[in-house]
Amino acid sequence: MPDPRVAVIQFRPRKADYKENLRRIGGVFAQLADRDDPPDIVVFPESATSGYFLEGGVREVAVPAGALFRDLQAQHAASGAGPMDVVLGFFEQFRNHIHNSALYASLGVDDAKIHHVHRKVFLPTYGVFDERRFIHPGRGVQAFDTRWGRAGIVVCEDAWHSIMPTLAALDGAKFLFIPSASPARGVVPARVVATDEDDQTIPASLETWERIARTIAGEHGIYVVMAHLVGFEGGKGFPGVSLITGPDGGVVARGPLFEEAVVVAQLSDAAVSRVRTDQPLLSDLQAEMTNLIEAFSKGEREPLVYDDDVERATDAGGESTSLPFVSDPDAPDPLAVDPDLLERWLVAFLRDEIVERRGFEKGIVGLSGGVDSSLTAFLATKALGKENVIGVRMPYSSSSVESLEHANLVAEILGIRTETIDITAAVDGYAKATTCKPDPARLGNVMARVRMITLFDLSAAYRALPLGTGNKTERLLGYFTWHADDSPPVNPLGDLFKTQVSALARHVGVPKEIVDKPATADLIVGQTDEKDLGISYPRADAILWHLLRGYSVEEIAAKGFTQEEITVVHGRLESTHWKRRLPTVAMVSQTAIGEYYLRPVDY
């Protein structure tokens, strides 16, 4: 049996556009046909025909496997490509259910057909995932025969449950294909890996994926071919860095980060045989699997034996004892970031979200002279080019001279177009017109909203998408004006704590005098953020980080924070949830928007 050459396609689908994605898949076939070494097996990611985060829209893009196969045949015939096998993730309509599936099919041969369809068994429903609400789970996993030998497919989270690859290997698979659509998470300082393009750091979640793939391959002596989606959906970035691991657990090839690409490798039947002979772990498992399953099904358990002198973890009354929380002074800083990785991530996000998803060429930023807006301008310029970024200065009569100077400094460094709109007349006109004369706080809110009116109006004039500048700390503490600072539709900084914003700003070259000066909304003379909040940003960020991860007040206090600091942060966090949501609407039907009728923001 000949050894196949496999190509993993890091693919960025157009959201919910089945026909366009099929056309682009046909384009990939044509591209592969022009290679001197065309692949035998082509592997696309999970949900390649539609994009992944669809919510209720999944019903509109799901198709029967047979219909997809016929469409793939038509695209393949038009491409001029030679015979090939295809692994492709899609949403499947099957027996009145919708599944997250992947098919394996042969194209361009006399017996062209679907060899197998795997329906995803483990549907993540936690964090950003809500699959089980919209998708029906599959019933199992099995290997199947191909022209190149026996193979198996599991989809994304299926691979996180070791029983799934194990069952495929026990059923004879020597190749395991894993189509995946897993959004990247984690910007802590990460390991550098060598890809087919260059050396680069990768998100923490990809390190976990690599560990899983290498473990599966090494334990069972099989090739693992993992195809990751690329692109952004509603701010969630699919990172690529697809992976092919050999039967010894070593990495054969990797794809680049956040880019569409073709990753090619030669698979070897002899390598599988050699590894399984040298380290017969799969043979050992095959020999004992029946006994293990039989014992488990009968509920047989080895008796638990305790030494008499072992102290039990309960007191005399039978209640569990509480162990003290111990802080590790040598633990890494949880707020540390890898600035190179983070910069590349956010630049890719802006380019994808503004140009690809929303069809704009330009972005517009309100330049306040602070670190947040300065960093957004730096990132936007790198993503779009200086000719496509507009900086808008919107001073009020009481605004500090320093703020305007720093905004000008950023614009000069970047070489971007600027416009200055003095909002004094508009704000004072309202203040004079109302019978309820605004106090400084209310007047500050009026300034913030007038600035956003200005930004959106200029957005329409220049056809430039407004870019947000609010950071995660401000959002969690509710330290922003509702329907003002938070209004722009795209925000690169909204998941970065203030201290992380400062670290990245230093890295990209924001001037030191801007990064190091006290943060201020510049709405009231002499006002600073930390004075308003009653706590410094570094202390607030650390407390927020622990609160979001479920640490108790006692555990946080044990890390050196005062009760007063924790109370300030916790109180603001708990009392401002409403500012982070859309307006509350009375639900009176079974088609309520955002409750029953669910579509992602980029659908």
Side-chain angles (χ1 to χ4, degrees), residues 252-552:
V252 177
R254 285 192 189 90
L257 182 65
F258 290 123
E259 297 175 12
E260 289 192 303
V262 178
V263 184
V264 180
Q266 185 73 46
L267 309 188
S268 168
D269 188 72
V272 174
S273 299
R274 182 171 58 253
V275 168
R276 290 183 175 181
T277 299
D278 293 343
Q279 196 170 3
L281 296 178
L282 185 61
S283 296
D284 292 344
L285 182 60
Q286 288 170 328
E288 297 299 332
M289 191 67 175
T290 302
N291 294 334
L292 291 171
I293 292 176
E294 183 179 356
F296 183 82
S297 64
K298 290 181 177 179
E300 296 177 1
R301 303 289 187 271
E302 293 290 337
L304 297 176
V305 179
Y306 297 97
D307 293 333
D308 291 340
D309 59 345
V310 173
E311 184 176 348
R312 304 300 178 90
T314 55
D315 58 21
E319 297 180 357
S320 298
T321 57
S322 177
L323 298 176
F325 179 82
V326 180
S327 178
D328 179 5
D330 298 322
D333 180 2
L335 294 171
V337 297
D338 180 323
D340 285 316
L341 170 62
L342 187 54
E343 179 186 6
R344 185 169 183 177
W345 191 326
L346 296 180
V347 167
F349 160 73
L350 285 172
R351 187 179 297 124
D352 193 288
E353 192 66 33
I354 295 169
V355 179
E356 299 294 336
R357 294 286 180 195
R358 298 175 186 263
F360 285 78
E361 294 181 357
K362 298 178 181 179
I364 188 166
V365 184
L367 283 180
S368 69
V371 64
D372 299 310
S373 66
S374 299
L375 175 57
T376 297
F378 269 75
L379 294 171
T381 300
K382 187 157 189 177
L384 306 173
K386 64 181 181 181
E387 68 280 4
N388 290 319
V389 178
I390 302 164
V392 184
R393 297 161 298 198
M394 295 170 281
Y396 179 71
S397 59
S398 63
S399 297
S400 73
V401 175
E402 183 184 66
S403 294
L404 193 59
E405 291 174 346
H406 285 167
N408 291 337
L409 177 60
V410 169
E412 290 172 3
I413 291 172
L414 296 176
I416 62 176
R417 176 178 180 174
T418 59
E419 185 161 341
T420 301
I421 307 292
D422 191 316
I423 64 169
T424 303
V427 173
D428 289 351
Y430 168 76
K432 291 176 182 178
T434 180
T435 55
C436 301
K437 298 306 177 184
D439 58 25
R442 283 177 53 210
L443 196 66
N445 285 333
V446 173
M447 292 180 209
R449 292 191 173 108
V450 169
R451 285 180 174 129
M452 206 47 56
I453 291 171
T454 304
L455 202 62
F456 272 85
D457 179 63
L458 292 178
S459 164
Y462 292 120
R463 205 180 184 281
L465 193 71
L467 305 182
T469 61
N471 61 66
K472 188 173 186 174
T473 308
E474 293 170 343
R475 297 176 70 209
L476 289 173
L477 297 178
Y479 191 66
F480 60 90
T481 300
W482 204 39
H483 296 314
D485 317 39
D486 63 325
S487 295
V490 172
N491 181 352
L493 309 185
D495 199 25
L496 296 181
F497 290 101
K498 184 72 171 185
T499 48
Q500 295 173 326
V501 167
S502 297
L504 182 58
R506 291 188 182 92
H507 172 74
V508 303
V510 174
K512 185 175 186 297
E513 56 264 46
I514 295 177
V515 179
D516 292 344
K517 71 178 180 180
T520 174
D522 201 17
L523 300 176
I524 302 172
V525 176
Q527 170 267 350
T528 68
D529 295 2
E530 293 181 337
K531 189 185 299 183
D532 281 355
L533 295 170
I535 187 172
S536 71
Y537 272 123
R539 303 285 286 180
D541 284 353
I543 293 171
L544 284 168
W545 188 92
H546 287 93
L547 286 172
L548 294 181
R549 280 158 181 78
Y551 285 77
S552 68

